[in-house]
Amino acid sequence: MSAIDLNARASSNFEAKLLETTALLQQAARDYAPLSAGTAPRVTLACSLGAEDMVIAHLINSLQLDIGIFVLETGMLHTETLDLLARLKASSRAPVEVFTPATEAVVQFVAREGKEAMYKSIELRKACCNIRKMEPLNRALTGKAAWITGLRREQSGARADVPLIDTSDATRVKLNPLANWTWGDVWHFIAVNKIDYNPLHDQFYPSIGCAPCTRAISLGEDFRAGRWWWEDETAKECGLHVKASPLPEKAPT
């Protein structure tokens, strides 16, 4: 059974959610347009190549929005994920930038801690995430006033309060256009629009990260149970979506 067959169930108010998402993306394209002709937009999608981000990438392209897309290629992604990245780059109207970790930093870390350092301690796993994800992310977001993610409130307890517009970071605004969507909504939209997706989703991988840190889940397990499954639930973030101290919510400018 495919992920579409298993999950595609739109909520009763899905059309309202879609309108909300579309409006937010269109507003972002206007508010964070390039400052001058020939320069890049000041807003970009952090595309993990998961189902949610493929939905957002589809909307950016189908609505012809001036919003960039970037992917963090950590050097540890599944073959299926790399194949999807190649297809996205070939088909996307919006340019897709790929950011990789600093080679020397990876080489030194592996030489010092070993290829399976992530299993030894939370500190080493997070150090690996810092090298492979956080440092490239900082480069990807340089000069950006806002970024877009596929975070949804339903994904985990730690994400239950994800807002549509997150202004908790004074550096840049984070936009979460699918915050109100259910997993069924995501797959309904994928099915209706025939959106390309990672075939690992058909193998019970709802959340897909680096290969050593991702496994399939069983029926009844939490959505993110397959991520860093050897760790305590409260530690299951790589740092990309750890919130800063909250500030009053405001509209993007």
Side-chain angles (χ1 to χ4, degrees):
M1 180 180 290
S2 72
I4 289 176
D5 294 332
L6 186 63
N7 300 299
R9 305 288 187 276
S11 21
S12 59
N13 60 341
F14 173 72
E15 291 303 324
K17 294 179 185 178
L18 180 57
L19 287 174
E20 177 183 66
T21 295
T22 300
L24 184 61
L25 290 172
Q26 291 171 327
Q27 187 67 44
R30 291 192 295 268
D31 289 347
Y32 304 109
L35 292 176
S36 58
T39 61
R42 295 177 297 134
V43 59
T44 184
L45 166 65
C47 182
S48 69
L49 301 165
E52 292 92 345
D53 293 331
M54 296 304 292
V55 165
I56 299 173
H58 171 84
L59 287 168
I60 288 171
N61 282 311
S62 62
L63 296 170
Q64 301 186 23
L65 301 177
D66 195 3
I67 294 174
I69 299 173
F70 74 89
V71 174
L72 302 180
E73 206 290 77
T74 66
M76 300 287 278
L77 300 181
H78 296 84
T79 299
E80 292 89 342
T81 305
L82 294 174
D83 290 345
L84 179 58
L85 171 58
R87 297 196 299 273
L88 177 63
K89 289 178 66 178
S91 63
S92 178
R93 173 186 176 276
V96 178
E97 292 187 272
V98 178
F99 290 83
T100 58
T103 302
E104 188 59 27
V106 172
V107 170
Q108 290 182 6
F109 179 78
V110 172
R112 184 174 65 252
E113 307 294 348
K115 291 183 178 180
E116 297 188 344
M118 67 286 294
Y119 301 130
K120 297 178 182 177
S121 71
I122 291 178
E123 290 72 25
L124 285 176
R125 194 272 291 170
K126 290 187 175 182
C128 185
C129 288
N130 282 335
I131 292 169
R132 296 182 183 276
K133 292 184 178 181
M134 296 306 299
E135 190 279 328
L137 175 71
N138 288 335
R139 281 188 273 122
L141 295 181
T142 298
K144 302 300 181 185
W147 59 309
I148 299 167
T149 84
L151 293 181
R152 295 182 299 109
R153 293 174 187 151
E154 188 189 60
Q155 286 170 340
S156 70
R159 299 179 177 183
D161 62 347
V162 167
L164 284 170
I165 302 170
D166 186 346
T167 59
S168 61
D169 183 351
T171 306
R172 62 184 58 84
V173 174
K174 180 191 284 188
L175 304 173
N176 307 302
L178 303 186
N180 292 318
W181 287 38
T182 65
W183 191 227
D185 292 333
V186 171
W187 285 100
H188 168 74
F189 191 80
I190 287 173
V192 169
N193 293 279
K194 297 180 171 57
I195 297 172
D196 195 6
Y197 66 87
N198 194 324
L200 288 175
H201 287 307
D202 293 335
Q203 300 174 39
F204 304 101
Y205 285 74
S207 179
I208 305 169
C210 293
C213 300
T214 308
R215 66 163 173 80
I217 67 171
S218 301
L219 185 65
E221 281 194 290
D222 181 77
F223 183 87
R224 285 173 62 80
R227 302 294 296 277
W228 308 296
W229 63 91
W230 63 92
E231 293 182 357
D232 180 80
E233 181 66 29
T234 59
K236 289 188 175 185
E237 291 288 354
C238 61
L240 269 69
H241 302 301
V242 175
K243 292 188 68 172
S245 298
L247 296 174
E249 185 172 356
K250 60 181 180 180
T253 58

